Amino acid sequence: MKTILLIAAATMAAAMMAPGTAYAQKKKAQKRENHEFSFELPVYVEELKKELTYPLAWGNSGIKDFDEWRAAARKKVLECMMAAPRRAASFDAKTIAEERRDGYTARKVEFNVNAYSRITAYILVPDGKGPFPAVNVLHDHGGYLYIGKEKMVRPFAVDTAVVNDADRWAASLYGGQYVGDYLARNGYVVFSMDAPMWGERGREEGVDRSKYDIIAGNMMMLGRDLCAFMTYDDMTATDFLATLPEVDKDRIGCFGCSMGAYRAWMLAALSDRIKAGGAVCWMTTTDVQMSAKDGKRENGGFANCLPGLRQYLDYPHIASMACPKPMLFINGSRDHLFPVDGTEKAFDIMHGAWQSQNADANLVTEIMDVPHSCGKEIQAKALKFFDSHLKD
C-alpha cells in the first residue's frame, strides 16, 4: 500500500510539473525578484531609443538628391524585408462569382499572388465605359483575423456567418459603410484581398490570434518575414490591378485604415504604380510608440515588424519615400493607439520632405476629433481627395 501511495504521489508531482497541465497554465504569473522586461518592453527601452539616430532618413543621410535618396532608402527597406516571395509565372486570374450591385458589378476572383499562394479577391467595376481610376483598398488588423477583404467590400458567395461578421465590422469601424463599395459607387474600380493570416489565408486549425507571433517566428526561421510578405503581396496585387482592361494603369491609388493605413503608405512608398494614397489612423514615431512611461507599445505583433529597419529609418521617413505623390493622412485625437504628439511629430517630418521637393500641397495631414475609426465623414474626405488626383 505504501509503495502504491508513493507511486501515486510521484505521478501527481510529475503531472503538476509537466508543461501543458492545469498547474503550468495557471493565470497567475510566476515572478522572480529580478527581471529585465516590464509592460512587454525591456526596462532599458529609453536607452535603446536614444541609440536610434535614423542615419538613412531624408535630411540625415548624406545623399542630397531626392531621387537618389529614395532609391537608396527603398533598397534598404527591401533588404530589411528579407527574401521576397517568388513570383508566379502568371496571375492566371479567373472569376468564380459575380453579383450586380447599384451602379457597379462585384466579382470574386482567384489569382496567383505569388508562386506559392493562389488566393481570392474582390474586384468592383463601375457601370459605364472605362478604363476607370482604381483604388487598392487594404483591410485593417483589429485583432480579428476571421475576415479580411470582407471588411472593405461587402462579401458575397460566402457563408452567412462571414456576411454577418463583415456587417458588424463595418458598423463598428467604418460607420456602417463599406469603403470599397462606396468608392465603386463613385466611379472607381476597387480591388481588395486578404493579407496573409486573415480571411481565406488563415490557419487550417481555425482562428487563434495567439498563433500569429509563432507563425511569424517560424517564417523568420525560413529566412522570410510575414509582415514583409503582406507588403510584397500588396505590391504584386497592384501590378495585377494594373493589368485589368477596366483599369487606367496611370490612375491607381491605395487606401486603408489602421493596419490598412500602414499597408497603404508602405505600398505608396515602394510601388511606382501608386499615384495617390490615403492612410487613416496609423502614423507615429517609434519614440512615442514605444514608451513604458506613457503606457504605449506595439500591440500588432509582427504585423508591422521588419527586422533591423529601425536602425536606418523611422515610420515617417519610410512614408516620405512616397513624396512627391499626393498623400492623405488622417488620425484621430481620441485614437487610443496613436497619441497625438507622436502623430504630429511624424506629420512634421513628412511635411519637411514634401516641402523640400516643393510639393507640400500634395501632402494633406489632419487630426480629427474621432477615435480609432474610419467613418463616413473620413471616407467622404478620401473620396474628394482621390477625385482631385485620380479623376480627369
Side-chain angles (χ1 to χ4, degrees):
M1 183 66 177
K2 184 177 180 180
T3 302
I4 294 173
L5 288 173
L6 286 172
I7 294 172
T11 303
M12 288 177 64
M16 290 174 71
M17 296 300 291
T21 64
Y23 177 82
Q25 294 176 351
K26 281 185 177 179
K27 290 184 178 179
K28 187 176 181 181
Q30 294 174 303
K31 296 183 180 180
R32 298 290 294 268
E33 182 178 354
N34 297 323
H35 64 274
E36 194 165 335
F37 297 87
S38 176
F39 197 65
E40 285 73 62
L41 290 170
V43 295
Y44 43 86
V45 61
E46 296 303 322
E47 292 301 309
L48 292 183
K49 289 194 298 184
K50 289 175 184 176
E51 296 176 18
L52 296 177
T53 59
Y54 308 118
L56 193 51
W58 174 248
N60 293 348
S61 167
I63 304 173
K64 303 305 178 185
D65 179 86
F66 194 84
D67 289 340
E68 289 182 16
W69 169 79
R70 184 195 296 112
R74 275 188 179 179
K75 182 179 179 181
K76 180 56 68 175
V77 172
L78 292 172
E79 177 186 312
C80 291
M81 285 169 62
M82 303 171 71
R86 184 162 46 88
R87 285 259 184 161
S90 70
F91 293 119
D92 190 24
K94 290 182 174 57
T95 299
I96 57 175
E98 191 169 286
E99 182 177 272
R100 282 286 304 137
R101 295 183 178 177
D102 184 18
Y104 59 101
T105 298
R107 299 174 187 161
K108 190 172 186 180
V109 302
E110 287 181 346
F111 78 107
N112 298 322
V113 72
N114 54 48
Y116 324 117
S117 303
R118 183 167 179 81
I119 69 171
T120 59
Y122 287 125
I123 299 174
L124 309 181
V125 181
D127 295 345
K129 182 175 174 56
F132 303 96
V135 179
N136 187 348
V137 293
L138 305 152
H139 70 74
D140 59 74
H141 187 307
Y144 196 73
L145 283 63
Y146 181 60
I147 52 175
K149 61 187 178 296
E150 298 88 0
K151 297 177 178 181
M152 308 305 286
V153 171
R154 191 165 196 273
F156 70 105
V158 293
D159 293 341
T160 302
V162 174
V163 178
N164 292 340
D165 246 26
D167 284 345
R168 284 192 292 268
W169 199 262
S172 66
L173 194 64
Y174 297 100
Q177 178 171 267
Y178 286 88
V179 176
D181 294 77
Y182 174 64
L183 291 172
R185 286 195 301 272
N186 284 279
Y188 291 87
V189 172
V190 168
F191 174 90
S192 192
M193 71 175 186
D194 298 319
M197 283 296 292
W198 272 265
E200 294 177 285
R201 302 183 72 183
R203 296 171 67 246
E204 178 184 5
E205 300 86 353
V207 174
D208 184 343
R209 171 66 183 84
S210 69
K211 303 299 184 186
Y212 187 101
D213 298 349
I214 297 173
I215 291 171
N218 286 334
M219 289 284 284
M220 287 184 184
M221 294 295 289
L222 294 166
R224 307 302 174 98
D225 182 84
L226 184 59
C227 167
F229 264 45
M230 177 173 69
T231 299
Y232 281 126
D233 286 353
D234 287 340
M235 295 165 67
T236 301
T238 305
D239 291 341
F240 167 59
L241 180 58
T243 68
L244 301 180
E246 301 90 349
V247 170
D248 182 341
K249 63 182 176 57
D250 295 319
R251 293 187 291 158
I252 298 177
C254 59
F255 181 81
C257 172
S258 193
M259 184 184 77
Y262 167 87
R263 295 169 67 189
W265 54 255
M266 282 290 290
L267 179 57
L270 296 174
S271 172
D272 291 330
R273 290 202 181 276
I274 296 297
K275 306 305 180 185
V280 177
C281 289
W282 209 118
M283 181 47 67
T284 189
T285 56
T286 296
D287 65 330
V288 175
Q289 180 192 37
M290 299 291 188
S291 174
K293 175 174 64 72
D294 296 325
K296 295 297 176 186
R297 79 280 204 201
E298 173 54 38
N299 291 306
F302 284 85
N304 54 275
C305 177
L306 300 177
L309 185 54
R310 209 59 66 240
Q311 298 297 319
Y312 304 94
L313 298 158
D314 202 358
Y315 300 117
H317 305 139
I318 302 167
S320 294
M321 290 160 52
C323 174
K325 296 175 186 178
M327 294 292 293
L328 171 67
F329 288 85
I330 297 174
N331 268 57
S333 61
R334 292 183 280 122
D335 190 331
H336 66 290
L337 295 178
F338 298 98
V340 171
D341 57 340
T343 300
E344 289 179 335
K345 196 174 191 180
F347 285 175
D348 286 345
I349 290 170
M350 291 188 292
H351 275 291
W354 266 260
Q355 287 166 3
S356 76
Q357 302 308 302
N358 299 312
D360 199 44
N362 282 349
L363 177 62
V364 179
T365 60
E366 184 176 356
I367 296 177
M368 297 177 60
D369 182 24
V370 296
H372 192 78
S373 62
C374 183
K376 291 182 179 180
E377 182 182 0
I378 293 177
Q379 292 179 45
K381 285 178 180 284
L383 175 63
K384 184 177 180 181
F385 175 82
F386 284 128
D387 283 350
S388 65
H389 295 290
L390 295 181
K391 283 191 173 180
D392 292 334

